[in-house]
Amino acid sequence: MIDVSDLTKSYGAIQALRGVSFNIAEGEIVGLLGPNGAGKTTIIKILTGYLQPDEGMVWINDLDVLNHTREVQAQIGYLPETAPLYPELTVQTYLRMMADLRQIPEAEQLACISEAVYATGLQDYLTRSIGTLSKGYRQRLGLAQAILHKPKLLILDEPTVGLDPTQIIEIRNLIRRLAEHSTILFSTHILSEVEVLCDRAIILMNGVVKADARLSDLAATSNAMLVVRESQPDIARVLQGVMGVRGVQSVDPVAGFPAFRILGDPEMTGVDLCPAIYEAARAHGWPVRELWRDVRTLETVFNELARGEEVMN
């Protein structure tokens, strides 16, 4: 559905994108993740044809965005960070106007508007002025206009920014429902949004893709945690000799007991070292209290990449 190749974009002396490339298949829901200023919104503006890159190519559904901008835009539903709403209009008047702008045939408009209204839970607000709606319902209306023409691709820029916890949950549930019919790319700097909604994340930092993988792959590790009831002087030396172990770190005690993180060989990512560690502990008579695989969270991955970026700078 989306094919991005070697995108670069500068704003004067500031280089917003530096050789960004990624692909998104039809039916995926992908989070574009990164800190503020990472280049997320710049990518979205290029994908939607509102901004031209300095270099690189963008294809959406086999169409070159730069040469077929209108055709591509007709297939995209787009919700920018600030929804394009007119406070003096009523909800139904606004949606009728958007249906006209989307060139939906008049005979089909009522059905399209009704479907979008019920999908976003706006059926009780049709005669309300947009200016009287809460921010959560304005976001719903922004999503309604984005899906009005039943787009193949839905692009959302920070869809839950500024919402309260209840509104965030409502928008998340709505995005899940929309994903049943559309490919979805949404940008955010909120890690929990990606963990809850996505199977895959693209992590962007300083205009460069630092990670692009399924969340299960990002979290995969062969590291393990071992907690013993009492300190063992030879524990690090013995564990270093276990096949697949590349290092042993003493970490903060767990419930007052000595704890160690066993680092697995990166080439053996996903291999469970716990059975071999247990056998080593049993052979040396260590009083094991706990032993488990050390699973990384998206926050852990993000922080590791951020620290690496700081070191490089």
Side-chain angles (χ1 to χ4, degrees), residues 68-81:
H68 301 278
T69 305
R70 290 297 180 89
E71 294 94 323
V72 169
Q73 289 175 336
Q75 299 183 36
I76 295 176
Y78 176 38
L79 176 62
E81 185 174 343

Side-chain angles (χ1 to χ4, degrees), residues 1-308:
M1 177 59 73
I2 300 177
D3 186 1
V4 173
S5 178
D6 294 321
L7 281 190
T8 65
K9 179 64 181 179
S10 296
Y11 301 101
I14 300 174
Q15 194 166 14
L17 300 178
R18 296 181 285 166
V20 170
S21 298
F22 60 85
N23 297 285
I24 296 177
E26 186 174 354
E28 282 193 290
I29 176 167
V30 178
L32 184 60
L33 181 63
N36 290 328
K40 304 186 300 296
T41 297
T42 297
I43 288 177
I44 284 178
K45 287 182 177 179
I46 292 173
L47 289 175
T48 52
Y50 290 99
L51 190 66
Q52 287 203 347
D54 298 332
E55 296 180 16
M57 298 292 293
V58 181
W59 294 76
I60 291 181
N61 201 23
D62 295 327
L63 290 173
D64 179 356
V65 174
L66 299 182
N67 295 319
H68 301 278
T69 305
R70 290 297 180 89
E71 294 94 323
V72 169
Q73 289 175 336
Q75 299 183 36
I76 295 176
Y78 176 38
L79 176 62
E81 185 174 343
T82 302
L85 305 177
Y86 299 87
E88 68 277 8
L89 298 182
T90 64
V91 169
Q92 62 184 359
T93 301
Y94 171 76
L95 291 176
R96 175 73 74 172
M97 179 187 73
M98 295 305 297
D100 287 336
L101 290 173
R102 284 291 187 181
Q103 298 182 333
I104 298 173
E106 190 167 348
E108 301 174 16
Q109 286 189 9
L110 180 59
C112 290
I113 291 172
S114 296
E115 190 171 335
V117 163
Y118 278 95
T120 53
L122 288 168
Q123 58 269 28
D124 295 330
Y125 296 84
L126 290 174
T127 59
R128 292 271 296 271
S129 295
I130 294 172
T132 66
L133 299 178
S134 68
K135 183 159 187 177
Y137 275 92
R138 289 199 298 272
Q139 285 292 84
R140 287 171 181 254
L141 183 55
L143 280 169
Q145 66 80 23
I147 64 174
L148 199 58
H149 56 302
K150 302 178 182 178
K152 296 180 179 179
L153 174 62
L154 192 57
I155 298 179
L156 313 175
D157 192 1
E158 303 282 2
T160 62
V161 68
L163 302 184
D164 64 37
T166 300
Q167 293 168 339
I168 288 173
I169 292 171
E170 291 173 349
I171 295 299
R172 283 177 182 172
N173 291 336
L174 176 56
I175 291 172
R176 286 195 193 95
R177 293 197 299 272
L178 296 175
E180 297 174 3
H181 308 287
S182 301
T183 302
I184 295 182
L185 171 67
F186 75 93
S187 78
T188 182
H189 62 276
I190 303 172
L191 301 178
S192 59
E193 293 296 321
V194 177
E195 288 185 314
V196 169
L197 290 170
C198 300
D199 291 323
R200 178 178 161 213
I202 299 170
I203 300 178
L204 195 71
M205 291 188 178
N206 292 324
V208 176
V209 174
K210 290 295 183 178
D212 179 1
R214 297 181 67 82
L215 296 189
S216 57
D217 293 333
L218 287 172
T221 174
S222 57
N223 297 349
M225 290 291 294
L226 173 67
V227 182
V228 293
R229 294 187 180 277
E230 56 189 52
S231 182
Q232 305 294 318
D234 61 344
I235 197 165
R237 177 185 60 80
V238 172
L239 290 175
Q240 286 276 17
V242 173
M243 182 177 293
V245 173
R246 65 178 175 89
V248 179
Q249 299 174 341
S250 178
V251 297
D252 292 337
V254 174
F257 295 97
F260 301 86
R261 176 175 287 110
I262 297 93
L263 305 178
D265 188 330
E267 295 183 359
M268 298 178 63
T269 296
V271 174
D272 187 0
L273 293 177
C274 289
I277 293 169
Y278 177 76
E279 287 302 320
R282 188 169 66 86
H284 289 81
W286 299 336
V288 175
R289 187 172 189 273
E290 296 180 61
L291 175 63
W292 70 88
R293 294 187 71 174
D294 186 20
V295 178
R296 297 193 302 174
T297 64
L298 184 58
E299 181 178 0
T300 303
V301 174
F302 189 87
N303 288 337
E304 288 174 358
L305 294 171
R307 284 195 297 269

